[in-house]
């Protein structure tokens, strides 16, 4: 009884915040305002003093450009916390920014998205890091479920919905029906892996070393999964591995496609594996409704067409795929009674319990 009463009044006393805690970017949704923060998941730390120098976009600009005593780090690897203290600092910064104009009495109620299949230890780390920064209640939701809600799929109906969320650290493949995940698979082939593939390819084929930021810019500018009608190219700069001197070369979309092709093939095989173990009635729904692509990786040119060609089902790239998880977390907060069953079960989080 106390729990129901508390949940009813807590929305009036605290802010509702949805967080997509991603490997590449962290997005914050505030109830009534929409997405208020979209920042890279990077923190710059001064190792001499232990102080945080910058968070988000400012810290990302420092990647690969810092003196020895300042380190720009990504505290999330594969969608889960790898550096607890730095993640806490990043969450503190983001929650403070989101609540700048708040006059609510209590700390915020927070819904956080995590990759499907995370362990209890990893879930506990996310919950603790959020709680330690003033959240009055913390709810955890799996990212493919949040993304499906964010793009308004009927997740609570007895209808099969298939979603592929290609983020920075992980790709989550899930089949959803009746408010639950029927089949899922999470793999470490996503945006960061594509970046490393490009770095390795250029090192091997052109004997040149480039940084992660250059690789990502190249992937976004000319990356594709299928040959393009009009070829694209881009000039990049790096260090010649033979002479050790600076060098500039021109890379084509064919080069990038060749670099990421093995990872794309692995991703397609993983989607096939999930479909092969899905109950036939749900497969028939998926054939009719199609597969939905979300996450930044879904923006790779030609990826939807390549998936459709290999899987023999329609593939749709969602509108604004990079914000789907954050929007889904926000929708859960705005209609909590309807979506509370999709949250990962946890112990009572109510601060009034003694």
């Amino acid at each position: 009884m106390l729990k129901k009463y508390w949940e009813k009044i807590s929305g009036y006393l605290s802010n509702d915040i949805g967080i997509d805690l991603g490997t590449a970017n962290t997005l914050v949704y505030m109830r009534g305002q929409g997405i208020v923060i979209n920042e890279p998941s990077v923190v710059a730390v001064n190792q001499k003093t232990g102080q945080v120098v910058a968070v988000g976009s400012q810290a990302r600009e420092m990647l690969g450009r810092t003196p020895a005593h300042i380190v720009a780090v990504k505290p999330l690897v594969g969608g889960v916390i790898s550096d607890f203290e730095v993640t806490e600092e990043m969450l503190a910064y983001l929650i403070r920014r989101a609540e700048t104009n708040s006059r609510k009495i209590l700390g915020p109620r927070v819904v956080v998205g995590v990759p499907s299949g995370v362990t209890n230890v990893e879930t506990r780390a996310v919950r603790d890091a959020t709680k330690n920064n003033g959240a009055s209640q913390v709810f955890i939701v799996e990212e493919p479920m949040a993304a499906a809600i964010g793009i308004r799929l009927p997740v609570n109906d007895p209808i099969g919905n298939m979603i592929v969320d290609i983020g920075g650290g992980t790709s989550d493949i899930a089949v959803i029906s009746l408010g639950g995940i029927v089949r899922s698979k999470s793999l470490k082939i996503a945006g960061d892996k594509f970046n490393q593939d490009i770095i390795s390819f250029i090192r091997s084929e052109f004997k040149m070393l480039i940084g992660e930021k250059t690789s990502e810019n190249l992937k976004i500018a000319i990356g594709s999964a299928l040959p393009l009608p009009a070829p694209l190219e881009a000039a990049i700069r790096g260090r010649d591995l033979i002479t050790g001197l600076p060098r500039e070369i021109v890379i084509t979309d064919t080069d990038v496609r060749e670099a990421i092709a093995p990872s794309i093939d692995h991703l397609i095989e993983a989607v096939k594996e999930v479909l092969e173990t899905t109950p036939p009635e749900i497969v028939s729904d998926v054939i009719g409704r199609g597969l939905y692509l979300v996450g930044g990786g879904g923006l790779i040119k030609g990826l939807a067409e390549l998936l459709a060609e290999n899987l023999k089902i329609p593939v749709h790239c969602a509108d604004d795929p990079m914000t789907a998880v954050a929007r889904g977390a926000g929708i859960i907060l705005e209609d909590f009674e309807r979506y509370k069953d999709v949250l990962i079960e946890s112990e009572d989080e109510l601060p009034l319990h003694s």
Side-chain angles (χ1 to χ4, degrees):
M1 189 70 181
L2 176 61
K3 181 174 181 178
K4 287 184 179 178
Y5 176 71
W6 176 256
E7 285 178 351
K8 189 174 180 180
I9 67 167
S10 58
Y12 299 103
L13 301 176
S14 66
N15 288 304
D16 286 342
I17 294 176
I19 299 178
D20 174 9
L21 200 59
T23 305
N25 294 284
T26 296
L27 289 82
V28 178
Y29 179 105
M30 181 164 277
R31 186 175 181 180
Q33 297 181 41
I35 293 170
V36 294
I37 296 171
N38 184 350
E39 294 271 11
S41 302
V42 185
V43 180
V45 181
N46 186 326
Q47 292 191 313
K48 289 181 180 176
T49 62
Q51 298 296 310
V52 172
V53 177
V55 177
S57 299
Q58 285 184 320
R60 186 176 184 273
E61 292 300 317
M62 298 179 186
L63 279 172
R65 294 191 174 104
T66 58
H69 67 285
I70 295 178
V71 181
V73 296
K74 292 185 173 183
L76 294 130
V77 175
V80 295
I81 294 173
S82 63
D83 190 319
F84 188 83
E85 290 181 0
V86 176
T87 302
E88 275 199 340
E89 293 284 356
M90 184 176 77
L91 281 169
Y93 166 82
L94 294 170
I95 290 173
R96 276 199 308 270
R97 266 192 61 187
E99 292 199 292
T100 301
N101 300 317
S102 170
R103 293 183 180 178
K104 296 293 178 83
I105 298 169
L106 301 174
R109 296 194 305 173
V110 182
V111 171
V112 185
V114 298
S116 62
V118 294
T119 65
N120 290 336
V121 173
E122 290 164 343
T123 303
R124 166 66 64 183
V126 172
R127 186 180 293 113
D128 288 351
T130 312
K131 272 289 231 184
N132 292 347
N133 285 292
S136 60
Q137 292 176 283
V138 181
F139 305 99
I140 307 294
V141 62
E142 290 176 295
E143 286 174 355
M145 178 64 79
I149 293 169
I151 62 173
R152 303 288 183 175
L153 294 182
V155 298
N156 285 329
D157 297 344
I159 298 170
N161 302 279
M162 188 168 194
I163 193 155
V164 177
D165 179 6
I166 307 172
T170 60
S171 288
D172 288 310
I173 305 155
V175 177
I176 297 166
S177 180
L178 276 173
I181 292 178
V182 180
R183 293 287 185 275
S184 71
K185 188 177 182 70
S186 182
L187 60 161
K188 302 287 196 253
I189 291 177
D192 288 351
K193 180 64 167 67
F194 299 149
N195 294 345
Q196 290 302 319
D197 289 341
I198 294 167
I199 291 171
S200 298
F201 181 86
I202 291 172
R203 183 181 186 127
S204 171
E205 295 295 318
F206 297 94
K207 303 297 183 283
M208 193 175 94
L209 185 64
I210 62 170
E212 192 175 333
K213 192 175 174 186
T214 301
S215 171
E216 184 169 10
N217 291 339
L218 194 61
K219 176 187 70 180
I220 293 168
I222 65 172
S224 68
L226 287 172
L228 301 172
L232 298 174
E233 59 181 37
I236 58 168
R237 297 166 185 167
R239 187 175 76 234
D240 192 300
L241 290 169
I242 298 170
T243 66
L245 298 174
R247 180 178 161 206
E248 182 175 302
I249 59 172
V250 173
I251 297 293
T252 67
D253 62 289
T254 304
D255 294 323
V256 176
R257 191 160 52 252
E258 189 177 339
I260 66 174
S263 292
I264 295 287
D265 289 344
H266 194 156
L267 178 64
I268 292 170
E269 286 305 313
V271 178
K272 285 181 179 178
E273 285 175 26
V274 173
L275 278 170
E276 285 167 4
T277 60
T278 300
E281 291 296 337
I282 293 180
V283 170
S284 70
D285 290 338
V286 172
I287 292 169
R289 297 173 53 76
L291 176 155
Y292 290 83
L293 266 182
V294 297
L299 294 171
I300 292 175
K301 302 172 190 70
L303 181 57
E305 291 81 359
L306 183 63
L307 279 166
E309 185 181 303
N310 280 272
L311 301 173
K312 312 301 181 191
I313 59 174
V315 177
H316 315 285
C317 188
D319 294 333
D320 200 5
M322 293 183 71
T323 66
V325 173
R327 284 184 283 130
I331 291 168
I332 291 169
L333 286 164
E334 289 176 5
D335 197 352
F336 196 81
E337 276 303 307
R338 182 181 178 188
Y339 292 111
K340 65 181 180 181
D341 291 339
V342 308
L343 300 168
I344 294 176
E345 288 296 325
S346 64
E347 76 285 353
D348 195 358
E349 293 285 345
L350 299 182
L352 290 186
H353 274 228
S354 56

